[in-house]
Amino acid sequence: MTAQAGTPDGAPTSSEGVSRRHALGLLGSAGAGAAGIPLLGTGTAQAAPLGAPAFHLTADSAGAPPVQGLHLTFGADPRTQMTVSWITDRPVNRPVVHYGTLEHGFGSSAAARTVSYVDGTSSRTVHVHHASLNRLTPGTEYVYLATHAGATPDSGTFRTAPHGRIPLTFTSFGDQSAPQVTWAADGTVALDANSTPATKDIVTGVEQIAPLFHLLNGDLCYANLDVDRVRTWNNFFTNNTRSARFRPWMLAAGNHEIEKGNGPRCRTPLWLRGVHRRPRPARR
């Protein structure tokens, strides 16, 4: 990426934010960077040890991990609130989202809060960053950049829900899985039994319809059946960010999100436990 605004952590260089020209330029270059991240890597497939890293992404020049799996979810009020989220394989400093409209540029920013969980199978830690955008205008197109210190920003657009009774379009399906090969417990390479080309095709189909939002109705990527659960989740987000950075993907947990060792009451990964609400206490 050649166009980058402001300081190394992505903050604008002035209180006026990024100009409209810079907004268009950053959207064109940062978004292209995300498309270049391979789902499965390159070269000949070979068996990997069970303790291998979940994904191998090249760090930026400053050594920071890249923004990975950028995606959107509505806030409590879909007319005025949106949450921008991304994942990294290690801790980062100053995660932030800059946002605005093409008419006014990136005049606003929201610091992201980071949550993490330790996968019960591999003992690897996953870091998830959530930035809540509030006081948005209903029925309005927004542009945004997500970044953290030393990382090239990644970008997307979204539209807030309309105010009042207005027709809208949404899409919905479940049991998606993730496009990948996998390693069996004995270290041999095999096709993932739950993966088909449709896991990519349906993302393209959502974008052809261009709904206001998408509902994903459980059994998201079947990571609980894989030897490397963290890798499967990363492939899931890398595949779906082609759509989920442009419109909210609202997710529900299914039985295949019950993952051994990831919590006493709700064993799903922490990012799925709810960005806006804490899990309810278990009934006695």
Side-chain angles (χ1 to χ4, degrees):
M1 175 177 174
T2 57
Q4 185 168 345
T7 58
D9 64 349
T13 54
S14 71
S15 60
E16 296 179 353
V18 182
S19 70
R20 184 176 185 275
R21 177 179 298 177
H22 283 160
L24 290 168
L26 286 168
L27 282 172
S29 54
I37 298 174
L39 284 176
L40 304 176
T42 57
T44 303
Q46 54 185 328
L50 298 186
F55 53 98
H56 302 272
L57 297 176
T58 303
D60 282 350
S61 58
V67 174
Q68 172 77 349
L70 189 63
H71 59 281
L72 300 167
T73 52
F74 277 134
D77 184 348
R79 301 169 301 175
T80 61
Q81 296 178 318
M82 189 73 71
T83 298
V84 180
S85 304
W86 66 100
I87 58 177
T88 56
D89 64 341
R90 57 186 186 273
V92 300
N93 295 319
R94 300 189 297 280
V96 66
V97 169
H98 302 291
Y99 64 99
T101 62
L102 286 178
E103 290 74 19
H104 300 100
F106 296 98
S108 301
S109 62
R113 67 182 182 93
T114 299
V115 295
S116 61
Y117 75 96
V118 179
D119 177 62
T121 299
S122 65
S123 298
R124 294 197 301 272
T125 302
V126 177
H127 304 272
V128 191
H129 317 284
H130 301 294
S132 298
L133 314 187
N134 299 302
R135 299 180 181 178
L136 304 174
T137 303
T140 301
E141 297 280 352
Y142 283 88
V143 295
Y144 68 91
L145 296 174
T147 188
H148 44 262
T152 300
D154 205 352
S155 64
T157 64
F158 64 82
R159 184 175 182 83
T160 52
H163 179 77
R165 297 177 63 87
I166 298 175
L168 58 84
T169 299
F170 70 92
T171 52
S172 179
F173 58 75
D175 299 80
Q176 182 184 8
S177 192
Q180 62 184 25
V181 295
T182 192
W183 288 272
D186 61 2
T188 59
V189 181
L191 289 176
D192 190 319
N194 297 300
S195 293
T196 71
T199 63
K200 294 189 294 183
D201 295 341
I202 55 181
V203 178
T204 302
V206 170
E207 285 308 288
Q208 288 178 333
I209 296 172
L212 178 64
F213 61 92
H214 173 68
L215 301 178
L216 191 50
N217 304 316
D219 292 352
L220 308 179
C221 62
Y222 296 87
N224 69 314
L225 301 180
D226 260 330
V227 174
D228 191 338
R229 301 191 305 207
V230 176
R231 175 179 177 270
T232 300
W233 281 114
N234 291 334
N235 285 339
F236 169 82
F237 279 117
T238 301
N239 180 36
N240 291 348
T241 189
R242 296 179 293 129
S243 172
R245 70 176 59 224
F246 300 121
R247 61 200 78 258
W249 277 45
M250 308 302 292
L251 311 181
N255 63 295
H256 283 283
E257 277 67 71
I258 300 175
E259 296 183 355
K260 182 180 179 180
N262 279 354
R265 293 194 302 271
C266 183
R267 294 187 175 88
T268 56
L270 189 60
W271 65 267
L272 193 56
R273 297 184 190 179
V275 175
H276 308 288
R277 297 186 299 273
R278 293 182 178 181
R280 294 181 179 178
R283 293 183 178 180
R284 296 183 180 274

